[in-house]
């Protein structure tokens, strides 16, 4: 009680109190500091690996580097498909404070469309993307736009102009059916391709050569390991694995010849195929009309695409590979050879041609194109030169379909030519078996009759027709067709040996072959040859065969009258041929849709093509192709 | 219990006559030197940044030197006035304060932006020490209550701004002074229990939503470290932990911290500078830093025990213990051990006002140590 009232200060007791509390406090401080140190050790020592990995994941990026797509050259080294820098305007949303403001300023500066802005918003909204990934605003900038942006770049943080290599076809529609084109990779293709190898690739071969050779044209992806900061700005490259660029393709095609052929067509619908008979190399491949492949590379507008799709002339259709035409009279030399070599006829065999042919016990008249007939004694040579139908009706019946089918197959009819483009169709070389299977009907003798003039069920692609001419020019040897004859990787050019087709005809001692070749020479140079007008005064000798194919059937007494038939049902004009007659360098097939007679329409086109190849630039092409 | 008697010779030395304490000074210089080195790296090797920081440290050291010249008696005399001025200014902040970043902490005084809470960091321990200095200790309950009110009023005013970090520091400094005055262990225990009971009330009624979010982030960080980084709120603390952890035992090397140099670490030259140190100097660097701090604290507590009057003793102890809270809360926050409270790493972080206040405190410590009278026992 007494002590409580003592109010004087006791310095010693106060110091003692103080010291004990300081001691406790210091002990707690030591303990807390030890705890802190342990916690830090927990991060830095015990979980070091984890944090090290996460810190590297922050700053290290592996950027895929797209390989450069292989180029495509013609036989003389002219570039047919190249890669051009295309500049696109891109934006990183994370780095832009006010996107709408930035876009409206860009729109004003670069004269962008509302469509561009709208597309950007769509892309931004609907695409799942990584942080800091660029979104394109405008794909193809003009040089002026690039320059304008460059001087104003400082105003646009997070916006950049990116250069990308994009496929460009300098010859546009002229070569589209020979080369095909590339386009943006779609979802279906995404599922099929090796995603890792295409990580930095935007385009893929869609049709033609570009598709067929996609695996070697594309190349192998490379990568660059870079260090980035928090704004994903690349500060330096840590390591790099350069991509393996795509292989360059060298075609056998001669682009000048292609242009000359295109010109010779003069805008008509049709096909020109020119081959080197000695090896199956394609020299020219024109399917007209074509379309501009460059539109497809950067994405064609649906308006333009619909226009192409709905066009009556079917520009998207590759007639050379997929057009199935009756070969018509162009197969007459082949049939004659078969007749001679099989012994069904002799060189001196003749028929009487009253202007029609009739089967025994049948009323039906199979008419010759010449109403009054070619004369009383028509042999094989006249029959070829003047394209006498009656002779070949008779011959076909004598041979029978069972002999015709296997032999014509060996000339390549009904067989794929093996051209390196995919998409090719085999056409149809009919047979008894085929008809039983496909039509569930027996073969009628009348069907054999019209096979004799290359009509009826018989269809062939222009490639096959051209190759059938090359087989004759090449004394029976048939090659697989091809556009690419060498590949170039890392500066080393590898020539590929031509491949013989699997089935070959047996020409025996070749005497019958010589006979029909002479007959084909008559077509071009004989007094009554069906193509004599076209080859008048030619500075070289050549061989050929015309064909005119009716697209509508006529009753017994009706006559074909051009003025009465719709234009798209007019006769197809065909021609096959090769030149020079000795040592042939070029074999051609011409198919002109609804153009009329083959001699007057198709043969002059062939003449122009041959003239150009043999006369205008003879030196260049005679060099050995090694 | 006797104070150490200083020899005549010691008292004659220049350092003593300048009222400086050499060991404390050495500790502070070691800390500042290390700090500047880290700051140079954290600031992207900016020389102007270092120049400004050195200028601030110079001003701080000058103020410290000045403060050391006044005897503790002087501080005791002015303590109540300082406290009252501080209180008035804090109230003024409520009415005339400058707002920035959602907080109202500043007063514009003659073109200067001034933060009254900085003044309170010193005024509160001064006031409590003064209050107890003339009274017999241990204090009675009524006196303890009054002391508690003296601490609580400015704390609440500052917490309202809101400035949780400073409020924490100020309440700690006052409570440490009370604790050191010799409060019985029973009352201390009671206080701890009361704090535990008060916590839920505090949680539900007093703190802001964003403050709660910080705590959530913190709790989740303790539970699941990798998940933490996926939340935008946690970006800062997560990157900080990655920086420290990836430093490993030896660190990535000065100027070579990828987290800091590539700007993954936010606020790397201010509040989060410890992460830069941890990344570039590793566990070794952290241990060195903590050793320097511990040395300064030990020396400060020693000075307290050598003080001759209650006022000086309580003031010294409170200043040193608050200094510890400062660094502990900062490091705890940067390493993810504690929730994010905006406190700089004392004498290392880039920034002005707090540095001057801190060095003023050390100036008072030096004053306390060097103004003792010779004592005979």
């Amino acid at each position: 009680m007494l002590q409580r009232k003592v109010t004087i200060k006791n310095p010693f007791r106060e110091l003692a109190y103080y010291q004990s509390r300081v001691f406790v406090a210091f002990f707690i401080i030591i303990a807390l500091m030890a705890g802190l140190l342990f916690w830090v050790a927990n991060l830095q020592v015990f979980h070091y690996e984890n944090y090290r990995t996460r810190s590297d994941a922050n700053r290290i990026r592996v950027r895929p580097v797209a390989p450069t797509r292989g180029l495509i050259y013609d036989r003389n080294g002219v570039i047919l498909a190249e890669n051009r820098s295309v500049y696109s305007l891109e934006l990183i949303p994370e780095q832009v404070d006010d996107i709408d403001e930035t876009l409206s300023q860009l729109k004003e500066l670069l004269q962008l469309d509302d469509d561009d802005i709208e597309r950007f918003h769509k892309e931004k909204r609907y695409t799942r993307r990584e942080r800091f990934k660029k979104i394109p605003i405008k794909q193809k900038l003009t040089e002026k736009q690039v320059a304008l942006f460059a001087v104003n770049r400082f105003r646009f943080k997070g916006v950049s102009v990116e250069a990308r290599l994009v496929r460009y076809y300098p010859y546009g529609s002229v070569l589209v059916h020979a080369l095909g084109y590339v386009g943006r990779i779609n979802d279906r293709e995404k599922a099929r391709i090796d995603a890792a190898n295409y990580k930095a690739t935007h385009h893929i071969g869609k049709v033609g050569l570009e598709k067929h050779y996609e695996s070697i044209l594309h190349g192998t992806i490379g990568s660059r390991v870079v260090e980035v900061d928090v704004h994903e700005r690349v500060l330096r490259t840590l390591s790099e694995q350069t991509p393996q660029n795509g292989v360059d393709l060298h075609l056998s095609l001669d682009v000048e010849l292609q242009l000359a052929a295109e010109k010779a067509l003069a805008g008509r619908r049709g096909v020109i195929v020119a081959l080197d008979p000695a090896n199956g190399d394609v020299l020219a491949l024109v399917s007209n009309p074509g379309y501009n492949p460059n539109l497809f590379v950067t994405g064609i507008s649906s308006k333009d695409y619909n226009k192409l799709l709905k066009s009556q002339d079917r520009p998207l259709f590759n007639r050379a590979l997929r057009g199935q035409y009756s070969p018509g009279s162009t197969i007459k030399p082949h049939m004659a050879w078969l007749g001679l070599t099989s012994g069904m006829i002799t060189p001196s065999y003749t028929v009487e041609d009253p202007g029609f042919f009739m089967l025994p016990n049948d009323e039906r008249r199979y008419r010759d194109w010449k109403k009054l007939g070619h004369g009383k004694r028509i042999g094989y040579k006249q029959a070829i030169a003047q394209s006498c139908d009656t002779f070949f009706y008779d011959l076909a019946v004598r041979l029978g379909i069972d002999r015709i089918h296997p032999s014509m197959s060996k000339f390549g009819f009904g067989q794929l030519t093996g051209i390196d483009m995919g998409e090719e169709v085999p056409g149809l070389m009919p047979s008894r078996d085929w008809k039983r299977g496909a039509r569930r009907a027996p073969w009628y003798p009348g069907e054999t009759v019209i096979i004799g003039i290359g009509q009826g069920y018989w269809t062939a692609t222009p490639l096959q027709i051209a190759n059938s001419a090359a087989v004759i020019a090449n004394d029976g040897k048939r090659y697989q067709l091809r556009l690419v004859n060498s590949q170039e990787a890392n500066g080393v050019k590898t020539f590929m040996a031509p491949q013989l087709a699997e089935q070959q005809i047996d020409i025996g001692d070749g005497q019958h072959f010589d006979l029909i070749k002479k007959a084909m020479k008559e077509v071009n140079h004989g007094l009554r040859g069906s193509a004599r007008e076209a080859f008048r005064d030619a500075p070289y000798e050549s061989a050929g065969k015309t064909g005119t194919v009716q697209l509508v059937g006529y009753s017994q007494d009706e006559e074909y009258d051009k003025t009465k038939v719709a234009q798209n049902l007019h006769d197809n004009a065909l021609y096959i041929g090769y030149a020079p007659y000795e040592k042939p360098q070029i074999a051609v097939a011409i198919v002109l849709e609804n153009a009329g007679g083959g001699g007057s329409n198709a043969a002059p086109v062939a003449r122009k093509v041959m003239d150009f190849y043999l006369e205008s630039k003879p030196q260049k092409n005679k060099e050995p192709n090694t | 219990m006797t104070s150490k008697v200083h020899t005549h010779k010691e008292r004659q030395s220049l350092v003593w006559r300048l009222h400086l304490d050499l060991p404390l000074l050495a500790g502070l210089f070691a800390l500042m030197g290390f700090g500047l080195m880290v700051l140079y790296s954290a600031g992207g090797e900016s020389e102007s940044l270092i120049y400004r920081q050195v200028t601030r440290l110079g001003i701080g050291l000058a103020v410290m030197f000045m403060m050391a010249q006044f005897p503790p008696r002087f501080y005791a005399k002015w303590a109540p006035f300082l406290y009252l001025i501080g209180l008035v200014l804090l109230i003024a902040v409520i009415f005339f304060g400058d707002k920035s970043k959602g907080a109202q902490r500043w007063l514009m005084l003659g073109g200067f932006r001034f933060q009254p809470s900085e003044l309170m960091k010193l005024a509160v321990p001064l006031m409590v020490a003064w209050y107890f200095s003339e009274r017999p200790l241990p204090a009675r309950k009524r006196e303890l209550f009054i002391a508690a009110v003296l601490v609580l009023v400015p704390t609440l005013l500052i917490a309202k701004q809101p400035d949780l970090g400073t409020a924490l520091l100020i309440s700690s400094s006052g409570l440490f002074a009370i604790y050191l005055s010799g409060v019985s262990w029973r009352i201390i225990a009671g206080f701890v229990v009361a704090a535990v009971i008060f916590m839920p009330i505090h949680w539900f009624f007093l703190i802001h939503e964003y403050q709660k979010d910080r705590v959530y982030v913190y709790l989740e960080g303790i539970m699941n470290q990798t998940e933490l980084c996926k939340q935008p709120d946690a970006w800062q603390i997560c990157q900080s932990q990655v920086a420290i952890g990836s430093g490993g035992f030896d660190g990535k090397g000065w100027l070579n911290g990828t987290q800091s140099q590539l700007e993954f670490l936010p606020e790397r030259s201010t509040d989060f500078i410890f992460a830069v140190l941890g990344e570039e100097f590793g566990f070794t660097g952290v241990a060195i830093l903590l050793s320097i701090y511990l040395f300064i604290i030990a020396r400060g507590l020693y000075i307290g025990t050598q003080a001759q009057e209650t006022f000086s003793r309580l003031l010294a102890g409170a200043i040193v213990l608050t200094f510890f809270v400062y660094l502990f809360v900062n490091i705890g926050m940067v390493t993810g051990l504690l929730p994010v409270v905006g406190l700089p790493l004392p004498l290392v972080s880039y920034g002005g006002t707090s540095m001057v206040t801190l060095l003023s405190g050390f100036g008072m410590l030096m004053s306390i140590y060097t103004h003792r009278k010779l004592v005979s026992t």
Side-chain angles (χ1 to χ4, degrees):
Chain A
M1 289 298 278
L2 198 70
Q3 262 187 329
R4 258 187 57 192
K5 292 196 173 174
V6 171
T7 52
I8 48 161
K9 282 176 79 71
N10 182 343
F12 292 105
R13 214 177 97 186
E14 285 182 21
L15 182 63
Y17 271 117
Y18 180 82
Q19 280 173 338
S20 68
R21 270 140 192 80
V22 163
F23 181 77
V24 169
F26 191 63
F27 177 78
I28 292 171
I29 285 174
I30 298 267
L32 287 176
M33 279 221 176
L36 212 50
L37 206 60
F38 178 79
W39 177 249
V40 172
N42 179 43
L43 298 178
Q44 295 193 307
V45 181
F46 306 127
H47 290 105
Y48 168 70
E49 290 298 332
N50 172 28
Y51 287 112
R52 180 86 211 190
T53 310
R54 281 163 66 186
S55 118
D56 285 345
N58 267 343
R59 73 187 174 101
I60 295 174
R61 296 279 178 280
V62 179
R63 294 275 157 88
V65 182
T68 305
R69 194 174 179 84
L71 304 177
I72 303 178
Y73 298 96
D74 93 333
R75 68 188 294 119
N76 300 311
V78 178
I79 198 153
L80 307 180
E82 59 181 310
N83 303 308
R84 281 196 177 177
S85 287
V86 166
Y87 298 95
S88 66
L89 187 67
E90 305 187 344
L91 183 148
I92 301 171
E94 283 83 357
Q95 289 180 355
V96 178
D97 299 328
D98 187 343
I99 291 182
D100 289 330
E101 174 62 22
T102 302
L103 285 178
S104 79
Q105 283 183 16
L106 282 171
K107 192 180 158 194
E108 197 181 327
L109 179 71
L110 305 175
Q111 308 283 314
L112 303 179
D113 300 334
D114 287 331
D115 287 354
D116 297 323
I117 308 293
E118 202 175 301
R119 209 177 306 129
F120 170 83
H121 282 301
K122 244 191 217 161
E123 178 101 17
K124 178 165 172 283
R125 217 171 305 136
Y126 297 117
T127 343
R128 274 176 55 98
R129 52 185 199 97
E130 297 161 33
R131 282 179 77 231
F132 291 104
K133 189 136 188 218
K134 289 168 178 156
I135 301 180
I137 302 172
K138 174 93 182 158
Q139 290 278 8
K140 266 192 297 183
L141 292 179
T142 62
E143 277 179 35
K144 194 181 160 206
Q145 286 171 320
V146 172
L148 260 177
F149 181 78
V151 292
N152 287 285
R153 162 168 279 157
F154 66 94
R155 282 169 52 197
F156 300 102
K157 206 182 114 212
V159 183
S160 59
V161 166
E162 298 293 320
R164 204 172 271 152
L165 287 176
V166 170
R167 203 57 148 182
Y168 178 71
Y169 304 100
Y171 290 94
S173 63
V174 177
L175 279 167
V176 67
H177 290 302
L179 302 179
Y181 59 83
V182 300
R184 291 202 155 264
I185 302 173
N186 62 32
D187 290 341
R188 231 182 26 247
E189 286 154 346
K190 243 174 221 164
R192 201 185 62 222
I193 55 176
D194 172 10
N197 199 27
Y198 277 78
K199 211 168 172 188
T201 307
H202 299 275
H203 294 90
I204 192 167
K206 296 278 183 179
V207 277
L209 279 184
E210 292 274 28
K211 185 181 183 189
H212 187 78
Y213 286 99
E214 175 63 29
S215 60
I216 63 170
L217 280 169
H218 178 264
T220 310
I221 193 167
S223 65
R224 191 182 296 133
V225 179
V226 294
E227 185 175 72
V228 298
D229 68 7
V230 70
H231 309 295
E232 291 287 312
R233 274 190 299 249
V234 174
L235 301 180
R236 61 192 171 119
T237 299
L238 301 173
S239 67
E240 192 166 13
Q241 192 192 352
T242 48
Q244 172 70 50
N245 287 341
V247 170
D248 293 342
L249 302 181
H250 290 267
L251 305 192
S252 52
L253 188 134
D254 180 335
V255 74
E256 288 181 49
L257 181 68
Q258 177 91 3
L259 288 166
E262 160 101 6
K263 197 175 152 207
L265 270 183
R268 286 172 288 184
R269 267 180 294 117
V271 184
I272 298 175
V273 176
L275 304 174
D276 182 342
N279 49 27
D281 280 358
V282 175
L283 299 174
L285 190 153
V286 178
S287 171
N288 202 49
Y291 53 95
N292 183 0
N294 295 309
L295 291 176
F296 286 81
V297 176
T298 40
I300 189 167
S301 73
S302 55
K303 197 181 109 201
D304 288 346
Y305 186 65
N306 273 327
K307 222 162 97 188
L308 288 174
L309 210 59
K310 287 178 182 155
S311 166
Q312 293 280 321
D313 292 339
R314 302 176 71 197
L316 294 173
F317 182 57
N318 192 334
R319 292 168 160 81
L321 273 74
R322 301 178 66 81
Q324 301 184 61
Y325 301 92
S326 295
S329 302
T330 63
I331 51 82
K332 283 175 180 170
H334 311 78
M335 295 292 284
W337 172 80
L338 179 57
L340 292 167
T341 202
S342 64
M344 296 314 290
I345 57 170
T346 62
S348 55
Y349 174 83
T350 61
V351 297
E352 186 187 340
D353 174 19
F356 58 86
F357 172 82
M358 285 173 76
L359 283 169
N361 310 320
D362 192 344
E363 286 299 300
R364 179 175 170 153
R365 290 179 169 194
Y366 297 89
R367 294 193 300 180
D368 196 292
W369 64 269
K370 203 170 180 180
K371 207 176 168 189
L372 298 175
H374 291 271
K376 283 205 180 265
R377 289 164 54 82
I378 300 294
Y380 79 93
K381 197 169 177 180
Q382 277 169 290
I384 288 174
Q386 299 172 22
S387 204
C388 170
D389 291 341
T390 306
F391 180 90
F392 285 96
Y393 293 142
D394 171 73
L395 177 59
V397 173
R398 281 168 181 279
L399 286 166
I401 187 67
D402 297 333
R403 219 182 251 113
I404 294 170
H405 171 80
S407 190
M408 291 302 125
S409 296
K410 286 177 186 165
F411 276 102
F413 290 106
Q415 312 286 316
L416 292 174
T417 65
I419 192 160
D420 40 358
M421 286 176 80
E423 296 146 32
E424 154 180 53
V425 297
L428 179 62
M429 184 67 235
S431 68
R432 229 179 265 280
D433 284 346
W434 163 79
K435 191 157 183 224
R436 206 176 296 123
R439 298 286 165 104
R440 307 204 173 280
W443 185 265
Y444 298 114
E447 290 165 344
T448 310
V449 175
I450 52 171
I451 289 294
I453 60 162
Q455 295 197 34
Y457 294 122
W458 191 344
T459 62
T461 65
L463 279 179
Q464 289 171 331
I465 297 169
N467 208 15
S468 78
V471 171
I472 294 173
N474 205 27
D475 289 326
K477 259 195 206 162
R478 180 161 65 97
Y479 284 95
Q480 286 188 18
L481 300 187
R482 62 175 186 180
L483 269 164
V484 176
N485 63 21
S486 57
Q487 301 180 359
E488 187 178 343
N490 304 321
V492 181
K493 209 165 155 183
T494 317
F495 181 77
M496 278 117 56
Q499 297 286 315
L500 280 171
E502 217 172 281
Q503 288 185 307
Q504 300 285 331
I505 56 169
D506 177 9
I507 66 164
D509 59 5
Q511 57 159 321
H512 297 129
F513 231 79
D514 287 343
L515 292 178
I516 60 149
K517 282 164 92 171
K518 282 194 183 108
M520 283 175 76
K521 191 163 83 177
E522 284 295 301
V523 172
N524 286 2
H525 303 291
L527 272 175
R528 304 181 68 180
S530 60
R532 67 185 185 280
E533 290 296 332
F535 283 88
R536 189 184 298 281
D537 302 328
Y540 49 85
E541 281 193 313
S542 57
K545 182 68 194 83
T546 58
T548 305
V549 176
Q550 291 180 359
L551 301 182
V552 277
Y554 304 102
S555 61
Q556 294 288 302
D557 302 311
E558 209 180 343
E559 243 182 283
Y560 170 68
D561 183 348
K562 211 167 127 178
T563 56
K564 288 183 190 159
V565 182
Q567 208 271 326
N568 62 357
L569 293 174
H570 287 184
D571 293 350
N572 284 346
L574 279 77
Y575 180 84
I576 63 167
Y578 61 87
Y581 181 70
E582 307 285 348
K583 294 188 184 164
Q585 290 173 27
I586 180 171
V588 300
I590 315 288
V591 177
L592 299 182
E593 291 180 0
N594 316 120
S600 50
N601 295 291
V605 173
R607 167 79 193 270
K608 281 179 187 161
V609 172
M610 288 177 177
D611 276 1
F612 182 85
Y613 193 69
L614 298 173
E615 297 301 312
S616 303
K617 44 178 300 187
Q619 282 320 108
K620 239 182 186 172
N621 291 307
K622 278 171 190 162
E623 285 164 17
N625 203 348
T626 42
Chain B
M1 296 280 175
T2 56
S3 299
K4 187 183 161 193
V5 178
H6 288 269
T7 61
H8 188 66
K9 197 182 163 196
E10 195 186 359
R11 299 219 149 195
Q12 287 297 304
S13 78
L14 181 68
V15 183
W16 189 274
R17 272 184 286 136
L18 288 174
H19 296 287
L20 296 175
D21 178 48
L22 209 51
L24 193 55
L25 206 57
L28 291 176
F29 273 120
L31 185 61
M32 289 172 189
F34 195 19
L36 283 173
M37 219 170 124
V38 179
L39 183 64
Y40 183 67
S41 176
E45 301 175 40
S46 153
E47 275 162 31
S48 69
L49 187 89
I50 292 298
Y51 179 74
R52 284 200 296 275
Q53 179 82 340
V54 168
T55 308
R56 268 191 211 112
L57 287 170
I59 292 170
L61 287 170
V63 171
M64 180 184 83
F65 179 72
M66 249 164 54
M67 302 290 265
Q69 309 312 308
F70 298 104
R73 233 179 323 107
F74 172 83
Y75 295 115
K77 201 169 95 188
W78 287 98
F81 297 100
L82 202 64
Y83 180 82
L84 275 176
I85 291 168
L87 219 49
V88 169
L89 290 175
L90 276 181
I91 292 164
V93 167
I94 295 175
F95 296 107
F96 314 108
D98 227 25
K99 265 200 172 175
S100 97
K101 291 182 194 165
Q104 195 163 354
R105 302 173 183 172
W106 293 271
L107 270 186
M108 296 301 288
L109 284 182
F112 275 99
R113 226 161 64 125
F114 174 74
Q115 207 174 334
S117 55
E118 275 310 314
L119 180 67
M120 274 324 227
K121 279 182 189 169
L122 289 173
V124 167
L126 277 168
M127 182 65 192
V128 176
W130 171 82
Y131 179 72
F132 285 131
S133 64
E134 297 306 320
R135 288 175 172 74
L137 296 178
R140 283 170 299 185
K141 283 190 180 119
R142 198 174 64 92
E143 291 158 349
L144 285 178
F145 180 75
I146 289 169
V149 170
L150 289 176
V151 178
L152 212 59
V153 170
T155 300
L156 289 178
L157 284 173
I158 292 165
K160 240 183 91 68
Q161 288 177 349
D163 186 350
L164 230 56
T166 309
L168 176 73
L169 284 179
I170 285 173
S171 58
S172 318
S173 65
L175 291 176
F176 284 140
I178 297 173
Y179 160 76
L180 292 169
S181 73
V183 183
S184 78
W185 296 114
R186 270 211 340 255
I187 292 177
I188 293 169
F191 182 78
V192 170
V193 171
V196 169
I197 293 168
F198 182 69
M199 252 168 63
I201 300 171
H202 181 71
W203 177 260
F204 288 114
F205 301 108
L206 292 177
I207 69 174
H208 290 255
E209 273 308 312
Y210 84 92
Q211 291 166 332
K212 283 188 187 176
D213 287 344
R214 282 180 180 180
V215 177
Y216 287 135
V217 165
Y218 156 70
L219 287 174
E220 227 170 296
I222 297 277
M223 305 292 182
N224 185 347
Q225 292 203 357
T226 38
E227 279 302 304
L228 174 73
C229 293
K230 289 176 187 163
Q231 301 178 20
D233 291 348
W235 166 260
Q236 198 173 17
I237 192 66
C238 171
Q239 292 301 335
S240 169
Q241 284 190 331
V242 169
I244 296 167
S246 65
F249 195 84
D250 297 323
K252 293 177 185 170
W254 189 46
L255 306 179
N256 284 329
T258 56
Q259 287 287 104
S260 40
Q261 303 301 329
L262 303 177
E263 301 178 31
F264 289 102
L265 191 63
E267 298 195 40
R268 57 199 166 279
S269 44
T270 52
D271 286 2
F272 280 75
I273 198 164
F274 179 82
V276 179
L277 184 147
E279 185 182 24
E280 297 191 349
F281 297 94
F283 185 70
T284 328
V286 173
I288 291 172
L289 181 83
L290 289 184
S291 306
I292 297 173
Y293 275 130
L294 192 62
F295 174 76
I296 292 172
I297 288 164
R299 180 68 190 173
L301 290 178
Y302 170 76
I303 289 174
T305 60
Q306 299 303 301
Q308 288 164 331
E309 323 89 38
T310 307
F311 172 76
S312 304
R313 213 154 35 217
L314 297 184
L315 180 63
I319 287 172
V320 175
L321 293 182
T322 309
F323 182 69
F324 170 74
V325 170
Y326 225 124
L327 73 95
F328 184 80
V329 170
N330 177 272
I331 297 177
M333 150 186 108
V334 173
T335 53
L337 191 61
L338 298 176
V340 173
V341 178
L343 282 187
L345 186 63
L347 298 179
V348 175
S349 283
Y350 180 76
T353 342
S354 74
M355 195 166 297
V356 176
T357 321
L358 274 163
L359 286 170
S360 304
F362 284 108
M364 288 180 187
L365 276 181
M366 292 188 186
S367 156
I368 290 164
Y369 191 59
T370 57
H371 284 93
R372 286 172 303 152
K373 298 181 188 74
L374 275 169
V375 180
S376 53
T377 42

